[in-house]
Amino acid sequence: MLLSKSELEALAETYDRWHVSIYMPAKVEGDAVLENPIRFRNLLDHAEEQLVDGGLRTPEAKELLAPARGLVEDEVFWQQQSDGLAVFIAQGIARKYQLPLRFEESVVVSDRFHLKPLLSVLSNNGRFYILAISQHETRLLQGTRHQISEIDLDDREGVPRSIVDVLKWEDPEERIQLHTGTETVLDGGVAAVFHGHGVASQDDPKEKILRFLHQLDAGISDLLADDDAPLVPVADGFMVALYREANTYPHLTDEGVRVQPQDLSLATLHSRAWSIVEPLFGQAEERARDVYHHLQATEPERVSNDIEEVVQAAAFGRVDGLFVARDAERWGTFDGDTGDVELHQTHHAGNRDLLDLAAVETMVNEGWLFVVDEAQIPGEGPVTAVLRW
């Protein structure tokens, strides 16, 4: 399942006595991948223990976890892992996300899902997409600063995997010459000739490529409909220019990687794309820091690093933006009716990470969010908020 802001909001809005959040770093190469289902089963055992310790009867705990238990024997699922696996289980809910993040292994049982480990993917400085386009294959990848993984498009209706998917319904005898690259490919009766310039077809090859790219854009824009992450196009220069003409996704980067994607390793593809998006993330974070420092000097009542005040403000939609430490946790409870916040020393059944609550509520209420190392947070402590009023 593709993680999006709407998915996060759906997870954040559920409320029940028993919510299980499981995070696991996954092995993706060699024989080590065989460890994944074993480690996941152990985490489910740990979740069951927490549920029973919290007061749920053992048969009820087993029934709640049954959908996730089914994954343990799913060989195909374990062969398709990214760097991190996140699984969320509650009554009537069982969702899993394979993401380019190396999570710390954890199990949290609470009355809400524990979502802060996901926020590096959805924050304003953590995530981007790569759209790799060639005559053979369309690939969509999701990346962070350190990792990248491919999004499975096989079951995504409306996203053509190649130009042949679009043109195969035309006259199979028609030979189409598309002059933009280096090789000739004959596939399903459609010949694509790539030589750099010139046209040798009765029909305009550009129009045929654009037909493909418009369909590709429609599918990708629908898939990323509620997203705001940068999308980096990767293709030869001719195809990048045409895709920009067809594109309707508002966050396509001005710069693309102008090379045949199959000529780059996954690591090089990630590096080239990151060099494009990193300055965008840096500029946005610097602007947010400037806002904080300006308000600290001119309207100090509009900035806060007091956890109780930040949690209350976030829950009631008063946080315009938030810096939060990626590895910090502050456990406690929040009463949505009274606004009372209570801090606890450790996690136990019934409390939750208040930094998680503040970050998720900020994002749900259209605030900006930067997940950074604690040493990079302006002010003191693991969280700093810019308030709307």
Side-chain angles (χ1 to χ4, degrees):
M1 185 175 290
L2 182 64
L3 182 64
S4 64
K5 184 179 177 183
S6 63
E7 283 289 315
L8 179 82
E9 291 176 354
L11 291 170
E13 288 171 359
T14 65
Y15 180 82
D16 185 72
R17 179 67 182 86
W18 309 108
H19 280 63
V20 178
S21 307
I22 296 175
Y23 293 93
M24 189 185 91
K27 307 290 186 179
V28 296
E29 295 180 351
D31 292 340
V33 299
L34 300 176
E35 301 174 14
N36 290 330
I38 298 171
R39 292 166 58 226
F40 184 64
R41 183 178 61 210
N42 292 338
L43 291 173
L44 288 173
D45 290 342
H46 186 29
E48 185 174 322
E49 291 174 4
Q50 288 193 36
L51 289 166
V52 172
D53 289 346
L56 197 63
R57 295 174 55 246
T58 298
E60 294 171 330
K62 290 184 179 296
E63 181 181 0
L64 182 68
L65 296 173
R69 292 278 186 193
L71 290 177
V72 175
E73 306 301 327
D74 188 340
E75 294 183 6
V76 174
F77 172 74
W78 294 110
Q79 292 170 1
Q80 299 174 342
Q81 291 304 301
S82 184
D83 294 278
L85 173 66
V87 176
F88 302 98
I89 309 146
Q91 187 64 42
I93 299 173
R95 298 187 185 182
K96 59 184 184 296
Y97 303 90
Q98 294 136 291
L99 298 164
L101 287 174
R102 188 153 293 279
F103 298 122
E104 292 292 327
E105 191 170 275
S106 66
V107 176
V108 176
V109 174
S110 184
D111 59 1
R112 304 266 185 160
F113 288 126
H114 180 60
L115 301 174
K116 189 159 71 69
L118 297 180
L119 297 183
S120 290
V121 180
L122 293 174
S123 66
N124 294 77
N125 63 339
R127 178 178 54 102
F128 64 97
Y129 294 107
I130 296 171
L131 181 61
I133 312 168
S134 73
Q135 69 268 30
H136 296 295
E137 184 181 30
T138 297
R139 299 167 66 202
L140 182 65
L141 302 103
Q142 185 178 48
T144 63
R145 177 186 295 269
H146 300 296
Q147 281 99 22
I148 190 169
S149 64
E150 187 160 356
I151 295 170
D152 186 3
L153 295 177
D154 287 341
D155 297 325
R156 302 285 181 179
E157 293 185 7
V159 181
R161 299 305 306 274
S162 73
I163 194 168
V164 174
D165 286 348
V166 175
L167 302 183
K168 66 185 177 182
W169 304 112
E170 300 183 359
D171 183 352
E173 300 299 322
E174 183 178 13
R175 298 178 65 84
I176 302 160
Q177 294 184 328
L178 309 176
H179 298 250
T180 62
T182 59
E183 61 178 316
T184 301
V185 179
L186 184 64
D187 189 355
V190 178
V193 183
F194 297 81
H195 288 304
H197 56 77
V199 176
S201 170
Q202 293 181 349
D203 296 320
D204 184 357
K206 176 181 174 181
E207 293 306 314
K208 293 185 179 294
I209 302 174
L210 276 172
R211 193 179 313 155
F212 158 60
L213 295 179
H214 277 294
Q215 289 195 29
L216 177 59
D217 166 68
I220 293 297
S221 294
D222 182 63
L223 183 61
L224 306 181
D226 66 339
D227 217 314
D228 59 2
L231 173 65
V232 181
V234 180
D236 65 52
F238 179 84
M239 194 73 82
V240 167
L242 285 188
Y243 188 76
R244 197 171 302 285
E245 185 176 332
N247 173 68
T248 59
Y249 180 67
H251 307 290
L252 188 74
T253 57
D254 291 336
E255 186 180 351
V257 180
R258 295 172 177 266
V259 65
Q260 291 283 1
Q262 64 268 25
D263 292 341
L264 301 181
S265 68
L266 197 61
T268 302
L269 192 62
H270 175 257
S271 176
R272 295 280 296 273
W274 178 252
S275 70
I276 292 172
V277 300
E278 183 180 24
L280 304 179
F281 292 143
Q283 292 164 15
E285 185 173 339
E286 192 59 35
R287 286 194 297 270
R289 290 181 184 277
D290 288 345
V291 168
Y292 165 79
H293 290 300
H294 174 73
L295 291 175
Q296 184 185 45
T298 61
E299 300 179 67
E301 69 278 6
R302 286 192 54 198
V303 298
S304 177
N305 58 7
D306 179 88
I307 292 178
E308 294 186 27
E309 182 181 11
V310 170
V311 168
Q312 292 169 342
F316 295 117
R318 291 181 49 231
V319 173
D320 193 37
L322 196 72
F323 290 92
V324 65
R326 61 168 50 89
D327 295 325
E329 295 172 337
R330 295 294 185 272
W331 298 99
T333 58
F334 172 72
D335 188 320
D337 295 325
T338 65
D340 291 340
V341 177
E342 184 177 307
L343 290 167
H344 300 159
Q345 292 297 316
T346 60
H347 170 54
H348 55 74
N351 69 4
R352 63 179 301 187
D353 179 8
L354 296 176
L355 300 181
D356 171 87
L357 186 154
V360 170
E361 290 297 328
T362 295
M363 185 171 287
V364 168
N365 287 297
E366 305 298 330
W368 48 261
L369 175 70
F370 290 97
V371 181
V372 298
D373 293 336
E374 186 164 347
Q376 297 176 307
I377 292 181
E380 297 180 356
V383 65
T384 287
V386 170
L387 306 179
R388 289 180 170 135
W389 69 85

